[in-house]
Amino acid sequence: MSAETSLPPSRARLSITLGRIVRPVARFAGSSGQAVLAVAIVTLVVVISLLAFGACVMDTHITALDPLKMNIRARLEPPSAEHWMGTDKIGRDMLARVVAGSWISLSVSFAVLAVAAVIGTSFGLIAGYAGGLADEILMRVTDLFLAFPALILAAAIAASFGGGMVSTTIALAAVFWPWYARLIRSRILSLKEQEFIAATRCMGASHLRLIFSDLLPMVWPLVIVQATTDVGFVILAASGLSFLGLGAQPPTPEWGAMIFDSLTHQPASWWLAVFPGGAIAFVAIGFNLLGDSLRDHLDPSLGASEAGI
Amino acid sequence: MLRFVLRRTAATLVLLAGVVLMTFALARLLPGDPARLIAGARADAEAVAAVRERLGLDDPVITQFTAYAGNVLQGDFGRSVVTRRPISEDILTFFPATLELVLVAGLISLLLGVILGTLAAVKSGRPADAGVRSVAVLGLSVPDFWIALVFQLIFFATLGLVPFGGRLGTGIAAPDFVTGFMTVDSLIAGRFDLFTDALHHMILPVAVLAIPSMAITIRVVRTSLLEVLSQDFIRTARSKGISPARVYFKHALGNALLPIVTIFGLNTGLLISGAVFIELIFNWPGLGRYTANAISASDYNAIMAITLVVSVAYTLINFLVDLSYSFLDPRVDLT
């Protein structure tokens, strides 16, 4: 007798549900060398950032994990067995700060992409589905946001809102949503012409039903793939804003802000810039590879990477 | 053709009006009372009211906007808090240094991007393709301000191959201002020593600035070439016995030109953004460093002026790119 049939019904259902999630992920992760690497990096980063969040919430005061613990006698120490990434100008442990920074970067980029994806998808859905004047107006608004170089617009918005993490989130969401609007609109335009939509309409389906139960399920995988690729870009942009002094404020252990702080100690204290920047690059590489492999996996016709890396 | 040009011109004018409206809205969002800011913290209520009156802050929003748009059209952006000079003068002073950097980096990234992207498409699925694609992923993932610092550590601090920053060595007088391009001006002045010094100072900033846009160009060239190469006319050209080089560079690249030109336009935005970081780190006296300083000094007038000027320039560049479509591909007119 197999294990599954002997389970009580509720647990059997759970294991089927889990299987539905786990199996495609496993199939994807095994699809190419690039996918394996991407899943490994992203899993590692997410686990580390959750641990950092846990340590922060629990307020554990484990010295090795406290990004704000100062020690004036151990300032600007190069990497050693005790401080793997050295210490900063007031003796804070760099490893603890880099680890804590992972939670900040990931949570900001998820918040940015959630806002951008919801606004962009709504714009794209309405513009593509309604067409006509509504489409024209919504797309002109989208064009307007794309008329600015991204970082310049983000900096201007963040400055207008007075800087800080909330400003950063608003500023970056304002820069990223137009891409979702365009992506979804063009997909809706081609889906709208297909027969199953006409058939559903003939059956008397309402607009809301068409949008939410027929069109939305067809476009959200696109949104997920786009958002996965964008995590890396949002982290880069957010750290860039912090580097300019518009994002996280001290003593928050944000990677971009840490690199800016290191400028006055260059090039003697190289570890102050090398490790936070390396962390940004590591996370961005992971999400870029993940986005690329997801795209290939879901749409092999694009033929981007049969060979992997 | 004329209809296409007229339509794009009208759309661009609407867009430019939108850009002015948006910077106006952002400037009004600013934290704090601008009249209080100008009058000073110790001014009494009457003095603040006087400033408010003078700036027209009590006028209806429409009146304020037309006044703002009028000033902007005359190139009047107010004064910078940092330099205490009119911002329009500052922009003219600092612009050539940035243009020199962006032009050279833009051309290099385009050239390398097209060559490497073509190589990757031609050798699709082979080690060369994997290598080029890794370069592209790295170029898109590694923050440029970090590459700048790491390159400084390696090539200046450790190897001593290049200078730390600036446009010329310390204590060396710049040649007479003609174009504002240090390399060109030194040649006009007949000073070859200054020319090599200026080039020497450009190597690192240009290299770092070119990386992200090169990475994007590689991707676009590779994808659009792969698409073209799979079409029938390429197979026909090959079977006619035309040399592979001619097939790739004339037939294939010619038909993949639109996305490449488009990405060149979009890359100017990337280069302008990158210049803010690169100029700050390499102490390059251009608009980028001016912007970074304005941000850290909360010089809102300057930030908004630069946002406006840069975005208008960016919109115009992309307008020219749009127009070039109809020269590159006559079929565009039909749409």
Side-chain angles (χ1 to χ4, degrees):
Chain A
M1 200 204 276
S2 76
E4 248 174 63
T5 49
S6 66
L7 288 171
S10 64
R11 290 191 45 198
R13 210 177 302 130
L14 179 71
S15 85
I16 292 171
T17 319
L18 272 181
R20 257 190 215 138
I21 299 171
V22 170
R23 237 170 273 132
V25 172
R27 205 181 306 131
F28 162 67
S31 64
S32 73
Q34 181 179 321
V36 175
L37 185 64
V39 170
I41 294 178
V42 169
T43 312
L44 180 68
V45 170
V46 170
V47 168
I48 288 179
S49 73
L50 288 178
L51 286 178
F53 176 64
C56 166
V57 170
M58 311 276 277
D59 200 13
T60 48
H61 294 298
I62 304 171
T63 315
L65 275 175
D66 190 346
L68 301 178
K69 168 104 178 143
M70 292 182 270
N71 180 3
I72 294 297
R73 266 173 294 174
R75 54 196 293 271
L76 291 178
E77 278 189 9
S80 62
E82 196 186 344
H83 301 288
W84 290 3
M85 294 186 182
T87 61
D88 70 1
K89 61 185 173 192
I90 47 177
R92 292 176 296 203
D93 182 59
M94 285 297 289
L95 177 61
R97 290 180 69 72
V98 169
V99 166
S102 64
W103 167 252
I104 295 172
S105 288
L106 279 192
S107 52
V108 165
S109 71
F110 287 152
V112 166
L113 289 171
V115 176
V118 168
I119 298 179
T121 306
S122 319
F123 261 62
L125 265 173
I126 297 172
Y129 186 78
L133 187 65
D135 182 25
E136 187 68 21
I137 293 173
L138 291 179
M139 282 302 114
R140 288 296 82 79
V141 174
T142 311
D143 286 348
L144 176 59
F145 278 80
L146 293 172
F148 297 81
L151 192 106
I152 302 288
L153 178 63
I157 294 178
S160 296
F161 281 90
M165 299 306 272
V166 177
S167 303
T168 302
T169 309
I170 296 172
L172 292 177
V175 171
F176 276 89
W177 76 265
W179 300 104
Y180 291 84
R182 282 198 168 176
L183 179 76
I184 297 310
R185 175 180 173 269
S186 68
R187 189 81 185 105
I188 293 291
L189 283 183
S190 63
L191 279 175
K192 208 166 61 166
E193 302 306 321
Q194 288 185 16
E195 281 169 8
F196 77 97
I197 293 294
T200 319
R201 193 177 288 136
C202 288
M203 284 161 61
S206 66
H207 292 308
L208 282 181
R209 192 201 145 97
L210 272 170
I211 289 180
F212 284 103
S213 59
D214 293 302
L215 291 172
L216 197 56
M218 305 280 297
V219 295
W220 77 261
L222 281 178
V223 176
I224 297 294
V225 172
Q226 184 66 36
T228 310
T229 316
D230 280 347
V231 173
F233 295 122
V234 176
I235 287 181
L236 282 189
S239 63
L241 288 182
S242 294
F243 180 82
L244 293 174
L246 289 169
Q249 302 300 316
T252 314
E254 202 279 339
W255 292 334
M258 287 160 76
I259 297 177
F260 179 76
D261 277 345
S262 80
L263 284 185
T264 43
H265 301 283
Q266 293 296 340
S269 306
W270 54 268
W271 58 91
L272 294 181
V274 167
F275 293 118
I280 300 173
F282 185 68
V283 178
I285 289 171
F287 279 100
N288 271 331
L289 290 179
L290 186 64
D292 283 359
S293 350
L294 261 184
R295 205 181 302 264
D296 295 350
H297 185 66
L298 296 175
D299 186 2
S301 68
L302 295 172
S305 79
E306 301 83 11
I309 283 185
Chain B
M1 170 103 129
L2 188 65
R3 248 191 75 196
F4 175 75
V5 171
L6 285 178
R7 259 212 347 246
R8 293 305 310 162
T9 312
T12 306
L13 286 176
V14 172
L15 209 54
L16 288 176
V19 167
V20 176
L21 186 64
M22 187 125 142
T23 40
F24 172 73
L26 281 177
R28 279 185 59 93
L29 266 176
L30 289 177
D33 178 359
R36 164 66 65 187
L37 220 61
I38 290 167
R42 269 176 295 175
D44 52 22
E46 248 171 70
V48 174
V51 173
R52 182 172 279 281
E53 173 74 39
R54 182 161 59 81
L55 294 178
L57 289 173
D58 289 328
D59 295 344
V61 178
I62 302 276
T63 319
Q64 287 192 41
F65 176 68
T66 44
Y68 172 81
N71 286 341
V72 163
L73 283 179
Q74 291 167 26
D76 178 7
F77 300 109
R79 271 174 194 276
S80 154
V81 180
V82 182
T83 62
R84 307 211 163 270
R85 299 197 316 153
I87 293 167
S88 48
E89 272 179 35
D90 277 348
I91 289 179
L92 288 178
T93 313
F94 291 111
F95 179 63
T98 299
L99 187 62
E100 188 177 26
L101 209 58
V102 165
L103 265 184
V104 180
L107 288 177
I108 288 179
S109 66
L110 181 68
L111 198 67
L112 284 179
V114 170
I115 293 175
L116 290 176
T118 310
L119 177 73
V122 171
K123 301 276 178 197
S124 169
R126 308 236 197 99
D129 180 27
V132 171
R133 287 186 33 231
S134 313
V135 169
V137 170
L138 280 179
L140 284 178
S141 309
V142 184
D144 44 4
F145 54 93
W146 186 65
I147 305 182
L149 286 169
V150 171
F151 276 16
Q152 241 177 10
L153 274 173
I154 298 172
F155 297 105
F156 163 73
T158 311
L159 300 175
L161 286 176
V162 289
F164 176 78
R167 294 179 87 184
L168 288 173
T170 38
I172 297 177
D176 292 336
F177 186 98
V178 186
T179 58
F181 286 16
M182 202 58 85
T183 46
V184 179
D185 284 359
S186 56
L187 285 181
I188 291 176
R191 295 281 304 274
F192 202 70
D193 54 324
L194 284 187
F195 175 73
T196 49
D197 193 38
L199 269 190
H200 205 193
H201 279 80
M202 280 179 75
I203 296 174
L204 269 197
V206 163
V208 179
L209 193 55
I211 290 175
S213 37
M214 178 193 75
I216 290 190
T217 313
I218 288 178
R219 291 197 147 193
V220 172
V221 171
R222 179 180 177 276
T223 321
S224 38
L225 257 190
L226 277 180
E227 209 169 282
V228 174
L229 284 177
S230 69
Q231 290 177 19
D232 288 344
F233 77 95
I234 293 290
R235 199 174 49 208
T236 311
R238 276 199 185 123
S239 55
K240 281 198 302 190
I242 296 172
S243 75
R246 203 174 150 80
V247 170
Y248 292 136
F249 283 101
K250 185 144 188 287
H251 292 75
L253 215 50
N255 278 285
L257 217 51
L258 286 196
I260 297 174
V261 175
T262 307
I263 208 66
F264 181 71
L266 295 177
N267 272 345
T268 54
L270 206 63
L271 290 165
I272 294 169
S273 305
V276 176
F277 301 105
I278 305 303
E279 291 185 5
L280 181 66
I281 291 168
F282 290 108
N283 200 22
W284 189 268
L287 215 50
R289 196 186 65 170
Y290 181 76
T291 311
N293 289 340
I295 290 173
S296 63
S298 303
D299 190 348
Y300 294 114
N301 270 347
I303 298 174
M304 292 309 156
I306 289 166
T307 306
L308 181 65
V309 171
V310 162
S311 306
V312 168
Y314 181 56
T315 306
L316 290 178
I317 290 172
N318 285 311
F319 169 61
L320 293 180
V321 166
D322 273 2
L323 289 192
S324 77
Y325 288 172
S326 57
F327 293 102
L328 295 174
D329 188 346
R331 285 170 298 186
V332 165
D333 286 351
L334 299 175
T335 58

